[in-house]
Amino acid sequence: MPKEFALGQRVRIKREGGGTNRRVPEYARGGTGTIVRSYGVVTGNRHDHAEEWGPLYGVLLDPAPGSSGERLLLDVHAPWLEETDAGASEAV
């Protein structure tokens, strides 16, 4: 069972992972951010969720170094996420 995360928790998107769920864009892998929304487990959508991919979270990614400072909100399933230190930040 994938780990569950709390609102406000700092996370990192894994560079590789997620099992059969490959729906994390390359540019977001390795990025850090904050959980800002929890959707729970998505069910009943045979087109997008034919398998159990664990809880789905809205992650507000930190701006990439040297960027304009814009932040990206990305929906990511739990198997792609890992805990990170509160002060840690890495390029998105």
Side-chain angles (χ1 to χ4, degrees):
M1 185 70 172
K3 177 169 177 37
E4 292 193 25
F5 298 92
L7 293 178
Q9 185 172 356
R10 299 281 300 154
V11 294
R12 179 180 321 280
I13 299 175
K14 296 176 184 176
R15 292 194 183 279
E16 296 294 327
T20 58
N21 178 352
R22 304 296 298 161
R23 291 184 158 206
V24 173
E26 288 290 329
Y27 61 82
R29 295 178 187 190
T32 57
T34 304
I35 300 288
V36 295
R37 176 169 282 171
S38 176
Y39 299 100
V41 176
V42 178
T43 60
N45 185 340
R46 293 177 47 192
H47 175 70
D48 283 342
H49 293 86
E51 300 176 39
E52 169 60 50
W53 290 341
L56 181 64
Y57 296 97
V59 180
L60 185 60
L61 294 172
D62 299 331
S67 72
S68 65
E70 293 178 348
R71 300 180 79 187
L72 176 68
L73 178 61
L74 188 67
D75 292 338
V76 182
H77 284 277
W80 277 98
L81 300 174
E82 59 190 2
E83 294 181 62
T84 188
D85 297 331
S89 181
E90 186 173 309
V92 177

